[in-house]
Amino acid sequence: MRREHGTGHEEARGGRQRTRTRAHAWAALLATGALALTACGSGGDKADPPAGSGPSASPRVALPQLSGEKLEVAAVWTGPEQANFTKVLKEFEKRTGATVTFVPAQDPIVTFLGTKIAGGQPPDVALLPQVGALVSAVRNKWAQPVGPEAKAELEKNYSQGWKTLGAVDGTQYGVYYKAANKSLVWYNAKAFEAAGVQPPKTWKDLIAAADTLSASGTPAVSVAGADGWTLTDWFENVYLSQAGPEKYDKLAKHEIKWTDDSVKQALTTLAELFGRKDYLAGGQSGALATEFPKSVTQTFTGGDRPAAAMVFEGDFVAVNIAQTEAKVGKDALVFPFPAVGAGKAPVVSGGDVAVALKPSKGAQALLTFLASPDAAEIQAREGGFISPNKSVNPAAYPNDIQRGIAKALIAAGDDFRFDMSDQAPAAFGGTPGAGEWKDLQDFLANPSDVAGAQAKLEADAAKAFGN
């Protein structure tokens, strides 16, 4: 998840310069119980929507007939996420007569697409998980501007911030189909109850809860250290809350160095958690061997002895919880990432943008469909998915928790901070085994070496940003 340096990212960043309203929206939603920490009806993860408020049965977007046309769609999604998106593509096939093939992509997706394009076989549409990947696609002259039908859907269904994120140099190239609230901590209700702890609201409370949980025999947190992107999310939430949005924006552009005292403070704070072997499932070495899906499933399996009591990540965690017997809203509950120091509770967002790579009628029709509530509601029903589309019926989401997360995203309007690593050049913020991902993995292995981590981060950032 990355951003290339240049004028395009300045344009793309225009809609995410404020967090205050969004933080207030979170507070209001929590106060009114939108993120209800209670059971969501007898159906658990698949609770029935309120009577009379279900998703619209009739199509709300007109699509052309594409009988005989074959399309390829590339994305880095795997497992349940890929399977759920395939249901969206099946509906598109049904409505248009086209045949759509999903092409699994590898990270970094820009490299994957470059290889496909060099071989004369680009997919018709790609879903890019980074702002920088969109800018790269435009700079490389791979991307096609969004057509009038898709633009009309964007105008109806999206806030300006999400439209701006999909534009480069003032031209609309992308449709943000999927969003993510990456400031959530999911917890095992039984583990919390057994230890007698409550969801923490501050970092200090989080460390106190970790201490109590550890003393009760359950490690506090399952950390997916094998996947460097999760560690960037840990850092970004701490940094945004502690250093504030203005410094967050500067660090995202590398206008301040990673050797800055604000980075030192954030890493030192993270070390309070990462530095305690008993707080982490499997200790530091176990965390570094744990990939994201396992980090979730091991938190919600094992009965009275789960591997950990909490796991941090976005709303998409619900997809992996669904692979266990735990029910979201009953066994698996959630609280916002806690505020650090004197800062506010952070809210970091990510997202996947759909871009046409071929000037075809079918590619533009698919963008139009993905910009409509019709497409988003199909995947919303499956869980583990949040749409930035404000026309999506909240009843499409399968339980009160995901409904509340989606409402918080929409209520924020244009006030959100986009994932910092997603804004960086791919070499720094989006490549497995390199740059920020690797540097933070090294930090997890040795959290006492804050200065060493800063030096590595700065050297890699300076090289990637060219400054």
Side-chain angles (χ1 to χ4, degrees), residues 55-386:
S56 300
S58 58
R60 282 169 285 175
V61 59
L63 298 172
Q65 287 304 301
L66 303 168
S67 182
E69 187 159 346
K70 295 181 179 181
L71 304 175
E72 288 190 342
V73 180
V76 295
W77 299 333
T78 60
E81 194 169 32
Q82 178 183 322
N84 293 344
F85 181 62
T86 299
K87 295 178 181 180
V88 177
L89 299 180
K90 291 294 183 186
E91 180 64 19
F92 179 78
E93 288 180 326
K94 178 181 174 182
R95 294 195 193 181
T96 64
T99 300
V100 186
T101 301
F102 182 89
V103 178
Q106 288 85 44
D107 252 331
I109 196 168
V110 170
T111 302
F112 172 84
L113 293 176
T115 301
K116 298 285 286 186
I117 290 167
Q121 295 181 316
D124 296 83
V125 172
L127 285 112
L128 310 177
Q130 298 93 16
V131 174
L134 171 62
V135 176
S136 286
V138 173
R139 295 285 180 262
N140 291 331
K141 301 187 185 304
W142 299 343
Q144 303 293 320
V146 169
E149 293 81 5
K151 269 189 179 180
E153 288 298 309
L154 285 171
E155 288 300 317
K156 287 191 296 184
N157 303 322
Y158 286 76
S159 69
Q160 185 58 46
W162 288 102
K163 288 184 288 186
T164 302
L165 279 170
V168 178
D169 297 337
T171 298
Q172 195 74 41
Y173 286 96
V175 169
Y176 268 88
Y177 169 69
K178 184 179 186 293
N181 185 318
K182 304 181 83 173
S183 299
L184 301 172
V185 181
W186 299 79
Y187 67 98
N188 185 310
K190 289 182 180 178
F192 266 49
E193 184 178 0
V197 298
Q198 297 295 319
K201 295 183 179 179
T202 68
W203 183 264
K204 183 179 179 181
D205 292 341
L206 178 70
I207 297 301
D211 201 54
T212 302
L213 287 160
S214 175
S216 76
T218 302
V221 184
S222 177
V223 175
D227 290 319
W229 61 268
T230 66
L231 302 181
T232 71
D233 290 347
W234 272 105
F235 172 82
E236 288 158 10
N237 277 273
V238 169
Y239 190 83
L240 176 57
S241 181
Q242 193 171 54
E246 287 77 18
K247 282 211 166 183
Y248 184 97
D249 291 339
K250 289 181 179 180
L251 187 61
K253 294 183 291 181
H254 200 225
E255 290 179 353
I256 58 175
K257 295 184 177 182
W258 284 79
T259 49
D260 190 81
D261 281 346
S262 61
V263 177
K264 177 182 178 180
Q265 189 176 11
L267 290 174
T268 301
T269 297
L270 262 184
E272 295 175 6
L273 186 70
F274 288 178
R276 286 285 298 268
K277 182 178 180 180
D278 56 326
Y279 286 177
L280 309 181
Q284 288 86 358
S285 59
L288 285 165
T290 301
E291 295 180 340
F292 170 68
K294 182 182 177 182
S295 75
V296 178
T297 56
Q298 71 178 5
T299 305
F300 299 102
T301 54
D304 294 334
R305 305 293 292 182
M310 292 178 278
V311 61
F312 156 72
E313 257 311 332
D315 50 87
F316 44 84
V317 163
V319 171
N320 302 93
I321 295 175
Q323 306 306 302
T324 73
E325 294 184 359
K327 301 297 181 185
V328 172
K330 180 181 179 182
D331 311 301
L333 305 179
V334 64
F335 59 87
F337 197 97
V340 183
K344 297 179 180 179
V347 185
V348 176
S349 181
D352 294 87
V353 60
V355 181
L357 302 180
K358 288 183 180 179
S360 68
K361 184 177 180 181
Q364 290 296 334
L366 184 55
L367 290 190
T368 301
F369 186 52
L370 294 178
S372 77
D374 296 8
E377 286 178 2
I378 295 169
Q379 195 158 350
R381 294 185 196 107
E382 303 302 320
F385 170 88
I386 298 296

